[in-house]
Amino acid sequence: MSSTAAAPGVVASVHLWRVPSRAVPRALGYMAADRLRLARAPGLRFAKSLGTGTGRTFTLRDADPRRWALLTVWDDDAAAARFDTGPVVTGWRRIAEEEWSARLRPLASRGRWSRREPFGSPAPFPWDGPVAAITRARLVPWRARRFWRAVPPVSAELHRTPGLLLALGIGEAPLGLQGTFSLWRSAGALNDFAYQRPAHLDAVRRTGVENWYAEELFARFALLSSRGTVGGVEPTATTSRRSADE
């Protein structure tokens, strides 16, 4: 992948696993057990075990019980590399029929997740390779219906934007704790969606006016490396987007 050298510092990792239907109960058990095992991981700054879905409505209709994700943030690349061969990841690999993982360096981050700033305050550095974005929000319950009505047109816009390589919904709970992970061929492609698409711009405006979120976070990352496939395809090897429902 074409890029300039990434600055040293905090590293984030995303793991995405697809399990066969028979392994769904075991995956649910791993989600609970991972919290204890992650607490003992050297160099770990932040971790979230996540369910996934299409992100098209952020309701229960989106949920995919066969795809699970893990987001981790590390002191450095060495700590992330050690974790990748440790018991948490190895356990998931035993039950998964497909895996994709990515190593990321934060480029920018705004907001909080569980009252923390998981990616810190990244120092800018030059990057011209693929980028990833994570959004996460904790909805104000009595404003959730308005949020859900705004999601479908934004999702449709997202999946039509050139340069999108992968998009999926992520969540800590079926409802109320919602987010997205997206992968883009370039920062320019991500900026086109973020700042040029009418439905997304309207949703951003309404967020400020209607106060949908009790907590929110927006972050973007340099994609340092990736391995594996999603739906049988390596996302950065494609010229069109891959979605979690494919």
Side-chain angles (χ1 to χ4, degrees), residues 100-149:
W100 181 80
S101 63
R103 198 76 55 81
L104 310 168
R105 184 86 71 197
L107 290 167
S109 181
R110 174 173 61 85
R112 292 179 178 270
W113 192 334
S114 298
R115 301 180 181 178
R116 297 177 59 185
E117 295 180 333
F119 311 112
S121 300
F125 62 90
W127 184 259
D128 60 5
V131 298
I134 290 176
T135 70
R136 184 266 180 186
R138 176 161 53 90
L139 296 176
V140 175
W142 53 89
R143 296 190 175 100
R145 188 177 298 275
R146 292 182 181 181
F147 166 81
W148 291 326
R149 284 201 296 261

mmCIF file of all heavy atoms in Angstrom, residues 100-149:
data_model
loop_
_atom_site.group_PDB
_atom_site.id
_atom_site.type_symbol
_atom_site.label_atom_id
_atom_site.label_comp_id
_atom_site.label_asym_id
_atom_site.label_seq_id
_atom_site.Cartn_x
_atom_site.Cartn_y
_atom_site.Cartn_z
ATOM 1 N N TRP A 100 -10.525 -11.220 9.642
ATOM 2 C CA TRP A 100 -9.832 -10.064 9.071
ATOM 3 C C TRP A 100 -9.346 -9.207 10.225
ATOM 4 O O TRP A 100 -10.068 -9.027 11.218
ATOM 5 C CB TRP A 100 -10.766 -9.246 8.183
ATOM 6 C CG TRP A 100 -10.082 -8.061 7.545
ATOM 7 C CD1 TRP A 100 -9.275 -8.081 6.444
ATOM 8 C CD2 TRP A 100 -10.167 -6.693 7.955
ATOM 9 N NE1 TRP A 100 -8.836 -6.816 6.147
ATOM 10 C CE2 TRP A 100 -9.366 -5.943 7.052
ATOM 11 C CE3 TRP A 100 -10.832 -6.039 8.990
ATOM 12 C CZ2 TRP A 100 -9.227 -4.560 7.172
ATOM 13 C CZ3 TRP A 100 -10.690 -4.665 9.112
ATOM 14 C CH2 TRP A 100 -9.899 -3.933 8.204
ATOM 15 N N SER A 101 -8.129 -8.714 10.131
ATOM 16 C CA SER A 101 -7.607 -7.850 11.182
ATOM 17 C C SER A 101 -6.852 -6.696 10.558
ATOM 18 O O SER A 101 -6.349 -6.792 9.426
ATOM 19 C CB SER A 101 -6.708 -8.623 12.141
ATOM 20 O OG SER A 101 -5.572 -9.133 11.466
ATOM 21 N N ALA A 102 -6.765 -5.599 11.307
ATOM 22 C CA ALA A 102 -6.090 -4.401 10.826
ATOM 23 C C ALA A 102 -5.321 -3.759 11.968
ATOM 24 O O ALA A 102 -5.791 -3.737 13.109
ATOM 25 C CB ALA A 102 -7.098 -3.412 10.253
ATOM 26 N N ARG A 103 -4.149 -3.249 11.647
ATOM 27 C CA ARG A 103 -3.356 -2.463 12.580
ATOM 28 C C ARG A 103 -3.472 -1.003 12.156
ATOM 29 O O ARG A 103 -3.245 -0.663 10.989
ATOM 30 C CB ARG A 103 -1.908 -2.935 12.544
ATOM 31 C CG ARG A 103 -1.050 -2.530 13.725
ATOM 32 C CD ARG A 103 -1.356 -3.351 14.966
ATOM 33 N NE ARG A 103 -1.251 -4.787 14.784
ATOM 34 C CZ ARG A 103 -0.110 -5.473 14.811
ATOM 35 N NH1 ARG A 103 1.036 -4.874 15.026
ATOM 36 N NH2 ARG A 103 -0.123 -6.785 14.649
ATOM 37 N N LEU A 104 -3.818 -0.130 13.102
ATOM 38 C CA LEU A 104 -4.153 1.253 12.798
ATOM 39 C C LEU A 104 -3.352 2.218 13.660
ATOM 40 O O LEU A 104 -3.084 1.939 14.825
ATOM 41 C CB LEU A 104 -5.649 1.503 13.043
ATOM 42 C CG LEU A 104 -6.641 0.527 12.409
ATOM 43 C CD1 LEU A 104 -8.029 0.747 12.992
ATOM 44 C CD2 LEU A 104 -6.664 0.707 10.895
ATOM 45 N N ARG A 105 -3.011 3.379 13.089
ATOM 46 C CA ARG A 105 -2.395 4.463 13.861
ATOM 47 C C ARG A 105 -3.361 5.642 13.875
ATOM 48 O O ARG A 105 -3.794 6.102 12.812
ATOM 49 C CB ARG A 105 -1.082 4.893 13.231
ATOM 50 C CG ARG A 105 -0.322 5.956 14.041
ATOM 51 C CD ARG A 105 0.546 5.312 15.082
ATOM 52 N NE ARG A 105 1.671 4.632 14.457
ATOM 53 C CZ ARG A 105 2.421 3.714 15.047
ATOM 54 N NH1 ARG A 105 2.152 3.346 16.282
ATOM 55 N NH2 ARG A 105 3.441 3.128 14.429
ATOM 56 N N PRO A 106 -3.748 6.149 15.043
ATOM 57 C CA PRO A 106 -4.699 7.272 15.086
ATOM 58 C C PRO A 106 -4.164 8.514 14.375
ATOM 59 O O PRO A 106 -3.014 8.923 14.584
ATOM 60 C CB PRO A 106 -4.862 7.527 16.586
ATOM 61 C CG PRO A 106 -4.484 6.242 17.245
ATOM 62 C CD PRO A 106 -3.400 5.662 16.388
ATOM 63 N N LEU A 107 -5.002 9.094 13.537
ATOM 64 C CA LEU A 107 -4.706 10.362 12.866
ATOM 65 C C LEU A 107 -5.418 11.530 13.539
ATOM 66 O O LEU A 107 -4.885 12.640 13.588
ATOM 67 C CB LEU A 107 -5.139 10.292 11.396
ATOM 68 C CG LEU A 107 -4.334 9.391 10.477
ATOM 69 C CD1 LEU A 107 -5.084 9.201 9.158
ATOM 70 C CD2 LEU A 107 -2.954 9.989 10.206
ATOM 71 N N ALA A 108 -6.629 11.281 14.027
ATOM 72 C CA ALA A 108 -7.415 12.322 14.689
ATOM 73 C C ALA A 108 -8.483 11.640 15.521
ATOM 74 O O ALA A 108 -8.967 10.564 15.165
ATOM 75 C CB ALA A 108 -8.054 13.261 13.668
ATOM 76 N N SER A 109 -8.848 12.254 16.626
ATOM 77 C CA SER A 109 -9.883 11.693 17.482
ATOM 78 C C SER A 109 -10.547 12.815 18.251
ATOM 79 O O SER A 109 -9.868 13.694 18.794
ATOM 80 C CB SER A 109 -9.291 10.664 18.447
ATOM 81 O OG SER A 109 -10.295 10.088 19.262
ATOM 82 N N ARG A 110 -11.879 12.748 18.284
ATOM 83 C CA ARG A 110 -12.654 13.755 19.010
ATOM 84 C C ARG A 110 -13.785 13.059 19.752
ATOM 85 O O ARG A 110 -14.509 12.252 19.181
ATOM 86 C CB ARG A 110 -13.225 14.791 18.037
ATOM 87 C CG ARG A 110 -14.172 15.798 18.665
ATOM 88 C CD ARG A 110 -14.561 16.879 17.666
ATOM 89 N NE ARG A 110 -15.241 16.359 16.497
ATOM 90 C CZ ARG A 110 -16.543 16.116 16.429
ATOM 91 N NH1 ARG A 110 -17.305 16.326 17.498
ATOM 92 N NH2 ARG A 110 -17.085 15.662 15.315
ATOM 93 N N GLY A 111 -13.916 13.359 21.043
ATOM 94 C CA GLY A 111 -15.003 12.814 21.837
ATOM 95 C C GLY A 111 -14.542 11.731 22.794
ATOM 96 O O GLY A 111 -13.345 11.494 22.987
ATOM 97 N N ARG A 112 -15.530 11.055 23.394
ATOM 98 C CA ARG A 112 -15.247 10.061 24.429
ATOM 99 C C ARG A 112 -16.027 8.772 24.179
ATOM 100 O O ARG A 112 -17.081 8.781 23.556
ATOM 101 C CB ARG A 112 -15.609 10.614 25.818
ATOM 102 C CG ARG A 112 -14.695 11.744 26.261
ATOM 103 C CD ARG A 112 -15.096 12.289 27.625
ATOM 104 N NE ARG A 112 -14.175 13.337 28.055
ATOM 105 C CZ ARG A 112 -13.070 13.120 28.757
ATOM 106 N NH1 ARG A 112 -12.758 11.890 29.125
ATOM 107 N NH2 ARG A 112 -12.279 14.113 29.093
ATOM 108 N N TRP A 113 -15.464 7.700 24.721
ATOM 109 C CA TRP A 113 -16.087 6.381 24.680
ATOM 110 C C TRP A 113 -15.999 5.833 26.101
ATOM 111 O O TRP A 113 -14.900 5.661 26.641
ATOM 112 C CB TRP A 113 -15.336 5.488 23.708
ATOM 113 C CG TRP A 113 -16.026 4.198 23.359
ATOM 114 C CD1 TRP A 113 -16.929 3.518 24.116
ATOM 115 C CD2 TRP A 113 -15.837 3.433 22.161
ATOM 116 N NE1 TRP A 113 -17.331 2.380 23.477
ATOM 117 C CE2 TRP A 113 -16.679 2.301 22.270
ATOM 118 C CE3 TRP A 113 -15.062 3.584 21.021
ATOM 119 C CZ2 TRP A 113 -16.744 1.330 21.277
ATOM 120 C CZ3 TRP A 113 -15.121 2.623 20.029
ATOM 121 C CH2 TRP A 113 -15.962 1.515 20.149
ATOM 122 N N SER A 114 -17.148 5.562 26.704
ATOM 123 C CA SER A 114 -17.196 5.124 28.106
ATOM 124 C C SER A 114 -16.417 6.080 29.003
ATOM 125 O O SER A 114 -15.646 5.675 29.878
ATOM 126 C CB SER A 114 -16.639 3.696 28.245
ATOM 127 O OG SER A 114 -17.424 2.786 27.511
ATOM 128 N N ARG A 115 -16.603 7.367 28.739
ATOM 129 C CA ARG A 115 -16.004 8.454 29.514
ATOM 130 C C ARG A 115 -14.492 8.528 29.386
ATOM 131 O O ARG A 115 -13.828 9.166 30.196
ATOM 132 C CB ARG A 115 -16.401 8.347 30.989
ATOM 133 C CG ARG A 115 -17.904 8.383 31.224
ATOM 134 C CD ARG A 115 -18.230 8.275 32.703
ATOM 135 N NE ARG A 115 -19.681 8.287 32.907
ATOM 136 C CZ ARG A 115 -20.254 8.166 34.102
ATOM 137 N NH1 ARG A 115 -19.501 8.042 35.197
ATOM 138 N NH2 ARG A 115 -21.572 8.171 34.221
ATOM 139 N N ARG A 116 -13.958 7.898 28.381
ATOM 140 C CA ARG A 116 -12.510 7.930 28.156
ATOM 141 C C ARG A 116 -12.216 8.434 26.751
ATOM 142 O O ARG A 116 -13.081 8.411 25.869
ATOM 143 C CB ARG A 116 -11.914 6.527 28.347
ATOM 144 C CG ARG A 116 -12.072 5.977 29.749
ATOM 145 C CD ARG A 116 -11.533 4.576 29.852
ATOM 146 N NE ARG A 116 -10.112 4.505 29.504
ATOM 147 C CZ ARG A 116 -9.411 3.372 29.423
ATOM 148 N NH1 ARG A 116 -10.030 2.203 29.659
ATOM 149 N NH2 ARG A 116 -8.143 3.381 29.112
ATOM 150 N N GLU A 117 -10.977 8.873 26.543
ATOM 151 C CA GLU A 117 -10.491 9.229 25.221
ATOM 152 C C GLU A 117 -9.531 8.123 24.778
ATOM 153 O O GLU A 117 -8.324 8.195 25.007
ATOM 154 C CB GLU A 117 -9.790 10.585 25.259
ATOM 155 C CG GLU A 117 -10.726 11.733 25.612
ATOM 156 C CD GLU A 117 -10.019 13.077 25.651
ATOM 157 O OE1 GLU A 117 -8.792 13.101 25.921
ATOM 158 O OE2 GLU A 117 -10.678 14.095 25.393
ATOM 159 N N PRO A 118 -10.050 7.086 24.163
ATOM 160 C CA PRO A 118 -9.249 5.863 23.967
ATOM 161 C C PRO A 118 -8.046 6.038 23.059
ATOM 162 O O PRO A 118 -7.062 5.293 23.184
ATOM 163 C CB PRO A 118 -10.258 4.882 23.359
ATOM 164 C CG PRO A 118 -11.329 5.734 22.771
ATOM 165 C CD PRO A 118 -11.415 6.935 23.657
ATOM 166 N N PHE A 119 -8.104 6.999 22.134
ATOM 167 C CA PHE A 119 -7.019 7.174 21.179
ATOM 168 C C PHE A 119 -6.157 8.391 21.506
ATOM 169 O O PHE A 119 -5.297 8.773 20.714
ATOM 170 C CB PHE A 119 -7.585 7.277 19.768
ATOM 171 C CG PHE A 119 -8.573 6.181 19.458
ATOM 172 C CD1 PHE A 119 -9.923 6.473 19.270
ATOM 173 C CD2 PHE A 119 -8.185 4.856 19.388
ATOM 174 C CE1 PHE A 119 -10.845 5.473 19.014
ATOM 175 C CE2 PHE A 119 -9.100 3.844 19.136
ATOM 176 C CZ PHE A 119 -10.430 4.156 18.949
ATOM 177 N N GLY A 120 -6.417 9.002 22.659
ATOM 178 C CA GLY A 120 -5.638 10.153 23.082
ATOM 179 C C GLY A 120 -5.869 11.358 22.191
ATOM 180 O O GLY A 120 -6.939 11.542 21.601
ATOM 181 N N SER A 121 -4.829 12.193 22.076
ATOM 182 C CA SER A 121 -4.857 13.361 21.195
ATOM 183 C C SER A 121 -3.758 13.174 20.160
ATOM 184 O O SER A 121 -2.617 13.615 20.359
ATOM 185 C CB SER A 121 -4.631 14.647 21.997
ATOM 186 O OG SER A 121 -5.630 14.805 22.985
ATOM 187 N N PRO A 122 -4.065 12.498 19.053
ATOM 188 C CA PRO A 122 -3.013 12.128 18.093
ATOM 189 C C PRO A 122 -2.308 13.352 17.509
ATOM 190 O O PRO A 122 -2.946 14.364 17.185
ATOM 191 C CB PRO A 122 -3.780 11.370 17.004
ATOM 192 C CG PRO A 122 -5.066 10.957 17.641
ATOM 193 C CD PRO A 122 -5.386 12.018 18.636
ATOM 194 N N ALA A 123 -0.986 13.244 17.377
ATOM 195 C CA ALA A 123 -0.216 14.277 16.693
ATOM 196 C C ALA A 123 -0.310 14.040 15.190
ATOM 197 O O ALA A 123 -0.146 12.900 14.728
ATOM 198 C CB ALA A 123 1.238 14.232 17.142
ATOM 199 N N PRO A 124 -0.585 15.077 14.396
ATOM 200 C CA PRO A 124 -0.710 14.885 12.936
ATOM 201 C C PRO A 124 0.591 14.371 12.326
ATOM 202 O O PRO A 124 1.681 14.695 12.781
ATOM 203 C CB PRO A 124 -1.040 16.292 12.435
ATOM 204 C CG PRO A 124 -1.523 17.049 13.627
ATOM 205 C CD PRO A 124 -0.796 16.465 14.806
ATOM 206 N N PHE A 125 0.453 13.535 11.297
ATOM 207 C CA PHE A 125 1.609 13.105 10.527
ATOM 208 C C PHE A 125 1.152 12.824 9.099
ATOM 209 O O PHE A 125 -0.026 12.529 8.856
ATOM 210 C CB PHE A 125 2.273 11.866 11.153
ATOM 211 C CG PHE A 125 1.384 10.648 11.219
ATOM 212 C CD1 PHE A 125 1.329 9.730 10.182
ATOM 213 C CD2 PHE A 125 0.600 10.413 12.348
ATOM 214 C CE1 PHE A 125 0.518 8.612 10.253
ATOM 215 C CE2 PHE A 125 -0.205 9.291 12.426
ATOM 216 C CZ PHE A 125 -0.253 8.383 11.382
ATOM 217 N N PRO A 126 2.056 12.940 8.126
ATOM 218 C CA PRO A 126 1.668 12.747 6.724
ATOM 219 C C PRO A 126 1.252 11.300 6.463
ATOM 220 O O PRO A 126 1.891 10.365 6.958
ATOM 221 C CB PRO A 126 2.949 13.097 5.948
ATOM 222 C CG PRO A 126 3.812 13.842 6.903
ATOM 223 C CD PRO A 126 3.474 13.322 8.257
ATOM 224 N N TRP A 127 0.180 11.152 5.680
ATOM 225 C CA TRP A 127 -0.283 9.799 5.326
ATOM 226 C C TRP A 127 -1.070 9.861 4.037
ATOM 227 O O TRP A 127 -2.027 10.648 3.925
ATOM 228 C CB TRP A 127 -1.168 9.224 6.432
ATOM 229 C CG TRP A 127 -1.588 7.805 6.170
ATOM 230 C CD1 TRP A 127 -2.789 7.366 5.700
ATOM 231 C CD2 TRP A 127 -0.766 6.652 6.342
ATOM 232 N NE1 TRP A 127 -2.779 6.002 5.585
ATOM 233 C CE2 TRP A 127 -1.545 5.528 5.967
ATOM 234 C CE3 TRP A 127 0.544 6.451 6.780
ATOM 235 C CZ2 TRP A 127 -1.048 4.235 6.022
ATOM 236 C CZ3 TRP A 127 1.032 5.156 6.830
ATOM 237 C CH2 TRP A 127 0.235 4.070 6.456
ATOM 238 N N ASP A 128 -0.687 9.047 3.055
ATOM 239 C CA ASP A 128 -1.415 9.048 1.782
ATOM 240 C C ASP A 128 -1.913 7.666 1.401
ATOM 241 O O ASP A 128 -2.249 7.400 0.253
ATOM 242 C CB ASP A 128 -0.544 9.619 0.654
ATOM 243 C CG ASP A 128 0.733 8.812 0.431
ATOM 244 O OD1 ASP A 128 0.911 7.761 1.083
ATOM 245 O OD2 ASP A 128 1.546 9.234 -0.409
ATOM 246 N N GLY A 129 -1.988 6.767 2.396
ATOM 247 C CA GLY A 129 -2.512 5.434 2.139
ATOM 248 C C GLY A 129 -3.959 5.298 2.565
ATOM 249 O O GLY A 129 -4.644 6.283 2.853
ATOM 250 N N PRO A 130 -4.470 4.074 2.622
ATOM 251 C CA PRO A 130 -5.851 3.843 3.064
ATOM 252 C C PRO A 130 -6.064 4.330 4.500
ATOM 253 O O PRO A 130 -5.139 4.314 5.319
ATOM 254 C CB PRO A 130 -6.004 2.318 2.973
ATOM 255 C CG PRO A 130 -4.974 1.896 1.985
ATOM 256 C CD PRO A 130 -3.822 2.823 2.178
ATOM 257 N N VAL A 131 -7.284 4.747 4.785
ATOM 258 C CA VAL A 131 -7.630 5.234 6.116
ATOM 259 C C VAL A 131 -8.883 4.522 6.599
ATOM 260 O O VAL A 131 -9.684 4.015 5.803
ATOM 261 C CB VAL A 131 -7.856 6.764 6.133
ATOM 262 C CG1 VAL A 131 -6.585 7.496 5.737
ATOM 263 C CG2 VAL A 131 -9.010 7.164 5.226
ATOM 264 N N ALA A 132 -9.031 4.482 7.918
ATOM 265 C CA ALA A 132 -10.217 3.907 8.543
ATOM 266 C C ALA A 132 -10.876 4.966 9.406
ATOM 267 O O ALA A 132 -10.222 5.938 9.835
ATOM 268 C CB ALA A 132 -9.846 2.697 9.386
ATOM 269 N N ALA A 133 -12.166 4.797 9.663
ATOM 270 C CA ALA A 133 -12.907 5.709 10.535
ATOM 271 C C ALA A 133 -13.756 4.898 11.500
ATOM 272 O O ALA A 133 -14.330 3.867 11.127
ATOM 273 C CB ALA A 133 -13.789 6.648 9.717
ATOM 274 N N ILE A 134 -13.808 5.361 12.731
ATOM 275 C CA ILE A 134 -14.684 4.773 13.748
ATOM 276 C C ILE A 134 -15.568 5.876 14.294
ATOM 277 O O ILE A 134 -15.085 6.955 14.658
ATOM 278 C CB ILE A 134 -13.889 4.138 14.895
ATOM 279 C CG1 ILE A 134 -13.166 2.877 14.407
ATOM 280 C CG2 ILE A 134 -14.816 3.779 16.066
ATOM 281 C CD1 ILE A 134 -12.270 2.239 15.458
ATOM 282 N N THR A 135 -16.874 5.643 14.298
ATOM 283 C CA THR A 135 -17.815 6.524 14.986
ATOM 284 C C THR A 135 -18.504 5.708 16.062
ATOM 285 O O THR A 135 -18.751 4.510 15.885
ATOM 286 C CB THR A 135 -18.870 7.104 14.028
ATOM 287 O OG1 THR A 135 -19.757 6.059 13.613
ATOM 288 C CG2 THR A 135 -18.214 7.724 12.798
ATOM 289 N N ARG A 136 -18.798 6.358 17.166
ATOM 290 C CA ARG A 136 -19.494 5.670 18.245
ATOM 291 C C ARG A 136 -20.352 6.664 19.001
ATOM 292 O O ARG A 136 -19.937 7.812 19.223
ATOM 293 C CB ARG A 136 -18.477 5.015 19.172
ATOM 294 C CG ARG A 136 -19.111 4.173 20.289
ATOM 295 C CD ARG A 136 -19.284 4.970 21.561
ATOM 296 N NE ARG A 136 -19.879 4.183 22.638
ATOM 297 C CZ ARG A 136 -20.229 4.697 23.806
ATOM 298 N NH1 ARG A 136 -20.040 5.985 24.060
ATOM 299 N NH2 ARG A 136 -20.778 3.933 24.734
ATOM 300 N N ALA A 137 -21.556 6.265 19.383
ATOM 301 C CA ALA A 137 -22.453 7.162 20.100
ATOM 302 C C ALA A 137 -23.283 6.388 21.114
ATOM 303 O O ALA A 137 -23.653 5.235 20.879
ATOM 304 C CB ALA A 137 -23.381 7.890 19.131
ATOM 305 N N ARG A 138 -23.538 7.035 22.230
ATOM 306 C CA ARG A 138 -24.514 6.536 23.206
ATOM 307 C C ARG A 138 -25.740 7.424 23.078
ATOM 308 O O ARG A 138 -25.709 8.622 23.350
ATOM 309 C CB ARG A 138 -23.941 6.589 24.626
ATOM 310 C CG ARG A 138 -24.930 6.173 25.699
ATOM 311 C CD ARG A 138 -24.213 5.790 26.993
ATOM 312 N NE ARG A 138 -23.306 6.833 27.453
ATOM 313 C CZ ARG A 138 -23.643 7.831 28.278
ATOM 314 N NH1 ARG A 138 -24.890 7.918 28.725
ATOM 315 N NH2 ARG A 138 -22.765 8.723 28.667
ATOM 316 N N LEU A 139 -26.844 6.830 22.624
ATOM 317 C CA LEU A 139 -28.043 7.603 22.316
ATOM 318 C C LEU A 139 -28.765 8.052 23.578
ATOM 319 O O LEU A 139 -28.832 7.329 24.566
ATOM 320 C CB LEU A 139 -29.006 6.770 21.471
ATOM 321 C CG LEU A 139 -28.527 6.344 20.076
ATOM 322 C CD1 LEU A 139 -29.574 5.452 19.430
ATOM 323 C CD2 LEU A 139 -28.223 7.540 19.211
ATOM 324 N N VAL A 140 -29.334 9.254 23.503
ATOM 325 C CA VAL A 140 -30.289 9.692 24.512
ATOM 326 C C VAL A 140 -31.582 8.921 24.250
ATOM 327 O O VAL A 140 -32.139 9.008 23.148
ATOM 328 C CB VAL A 140 -30.534 11.210 24.424
ATOM 329 C CG1 VAL A 140 -31.619 11.637 25.409
ATOM 330 C CG2 VAL A 140 -29.240 11.973 24.682
ATOM 331 N N PRO A 141 -32.071 8.119 25.194
ATOM 332 C CA PRO A 141 -33.179 7.200 24.903
ATOM 333 C C PRO A 141 -34.397 7.851 24.270
ATOM 334 O O PRO A 141 -34.969 7.313 23.313
ATOM 335 C CB PRO A 141 -33.509 6.604 26.279
ATOM 336 C CG PRO A 141 -32.225 6.687 27.036
ATOM 337 C CD PRO A 141 -31.572 7.957 26.575
ATOM 338 N N TRP A 142 -34.821 8.995 24.777
ATOM 339 C CA TRP A 142 -36.051 9.590 24.262
ATOM 340 C C TRP A 142 -35.847 10.330 22.936
ATOM 341 O O TRP A 142 -36.778 10.841 22.364
ATOM 342 C CB TRP A 142 -36.669 10.529 25.293
ATOM 343 C CG TRP A 142 -35.743 11.587 25.825
ATOM 344 C CD1 TRP A 142 -35.524 12.830 25.324
ATOM 345 C CD2 TRP A 142 -34.902 11.466 26.972
ATOM 346 N NE1 TRP A 142 -34.599 13.504 26.080
ATOM 347 C CE2 TRP A 142 -34.203 12.683 27.106
ATOM 348 C CE3 TRP A 142 -34.676 10.454 27.905
ATOM 349 C CZ2 TRP A 142 -33.292 12.922 28.138
ATOM 350 C CZ3 TRP A 142 -33.761 10.679 28.926
ATOM 351 C CH2 TRP A 142 -33.088 11.898 29.033
ATOM 352 N N ARG A 143 -34.589 10.342 22.436
ATOM 353 C CA ARG A 143 -34.346 10.939 21.121
ATOM 354 C C ARG A 143 -33.931 9.888 20.100
ATOM 355 O O ARG A 143 -33.617 10.216 18.959
ATOM 356 C CB ARG A 143 -33.265 12.019 21.232
ATOM 357 C CG ARG A 143 -33.686 13.200 22.099
ATOM 358 C CD ARG A 143 -32.704 14.347 21.977
ATOM 359 N NE ARG A 143 -33.187 15.504 22.713
ATOM 360 C CZ ARG A 143 -32.770 15.859 23.922
ATOM 361 N NH1 ARG A 143 -31.850 15.135 24.545
ATOM 362 N NH2 ARG A 143 -33.248 16.931 24.522
ATOM 363 N N ALA A 144 -33.929 8.616 20.509
ATOM 364 C CA ALA A 144 -33.434 7.553 19.643
ATOM 365 C C ALA A 144 -34.276 7.393 18.377
ATOM 366 O O ALA A 144 -33.741 7.115 17.303
ATOM 367 C CB ALA A 144 -33.386 6.235 20.413
ATOM 368 N N ARG A 145 -35.585 7.567 18.491
ATOM 369 C CA ARG A 145 -36.438 7.353 17.324
ATOM 370 C C ARG A 145 -36.075 8.315 16.183
ATOM 371 O O ARG A 145 -36.050 7.917 15.013
ATOM 372 C CB ARG A 145 -37.913 7.513 17.714
ATOM 373 C CG ARG A 145 -38.884 7.116 16.601
ATOM 374 C CD ARG A 145 -40.317 7.226 17.081
ATOM 375 N NE ARG A 145 -40.577 6.324 18.191
ATOM 376 C CZ ARG A 145 -40.908 5.051 18.039
ATOM 377 N NH1 ARG A 145 -41.023 4.535 16.831
ATOM 378 N NH2 ARG A 145 -41.148 4.305 19.098
ATOM 379 N N ARG A 146 -35.784 9.552 16.523
ATOM 380 C CA ARG A 146 -35.386 10.513 15.490
ATOM 381 C C ARG A 146 -34.066 10.104 14.849
ATOM 382 O O ARG A 146 -33.874 10.232 13.639
ATOM 383 C CB ARG A 146 -35.268 11.909 16.089
ATOM 384 C CG ARG A 146 -36.593 12.512 16.522
ATOM 385 C CD ARG A 146 -36.391 13.919 17.057
ATOM 386 N NE ARG A 146 -37.636 14.513 17.498
ATOM 387 C CZ ARG A 146 -37.738 15.743 17.992
ATOM 388 N NH1 ARG A 146 -36.655 16.503 18.119
ATOM 389 N NH2 ARG A 146 -38.910 16.215 18.366
ATOM 390 N N PHE A 147 -33.127 9.616 15.671
ATOM 391 C CA PHE A 147 -31.855 9.140 15.139
ATOM 392 C C PHE A 147 -32.082 7.988 14.165
ATOM 393 O O PHE A 147 -31.535 7.979 13.055
ATOM 394 C CB PHE A 147 -30.947 8.700 16.288
ATOM 395 C CG PHE A 147 -29.754 7.904 15.849
ATOM 396 C CD1 PHE A 147 -28.626 8.530 15.365
ATOM 397 C CD2 PHE A 147 -29.757 6.508 15.932
ATOM 398 C CE1 PHE A 147 -27.520 7.794 14.954
ATOM 399 C CE2 PHE A 147 -28.661 5.775 15.532
ATOM 400 C CZ PHE A 147 -27.538 6.419 15.046
ATOM 401 N N TRP A 148 -32.879 6.993 14.554
ATOM 402 C CA TRP A 148 -33.100 5.840 13.693
ATOM 403 C C TRP A 148 -33.746 6.236 12.368
ATOM 404 O O TRP A 148 -33.438 5.645 11.331
ATOM 405 C CB TRP A 148 -33.956 4.802 14.422
ATOM 406 C CG TRP A 148 -33.243 4.144 15.557
ATOM 407 C CD1 TRP A 148 -31.913 3.838 15.629
ATOM 408 C CD2 TRP A 148 -33.817 3.703 16.787
ATOM 409 N NE1 TRP A 148 -31.622 3.244 16.831
ATOM 410 C CE2 TRP A 148 -32.761 3.143 17.569
ATOM 411 C CE3 TRP A 148 -35.099 3.721 17.319
ATOM 412 C CZ2 TRP A 148 -32.972 2.611 18.836
ATOM 413 C CZ3 TRP A 148 -35.309 3.184 18.587
ATOM 414 C CH2 TRP A 148 -34.258 2.644 19.324
ATOM 415 N N ARG A 149 -34.619 7.225 12.387
ATOM 416 C CA ARG A 149 -35.226 7.670 11.130
ATOM 417 C C ARG A 149 -34.207 8.317 10.207
ATOM 418 O O ARG A 149 -34.375 8.295 8.981
ATOM 419 C CB ARG A 149 -36.373 8.643 11.421
ATOM 420 C CG ARG A 149 -37.646 7.981 11.929
ATOM 421 C CD ARG A 149 -38.857 8.875 11.712
ATOM 422 N NE ARG A 149 -38.750 10.101 12.486
ATOM 423 C CZ ARG A 149 -39.357 10.313 13.659
ATOM 424 N NH1 ARG A 149 -40.087 9.348 14.200
ATOM 425 N NH2 ARG A 149 -39.236 11.451 14.296
#
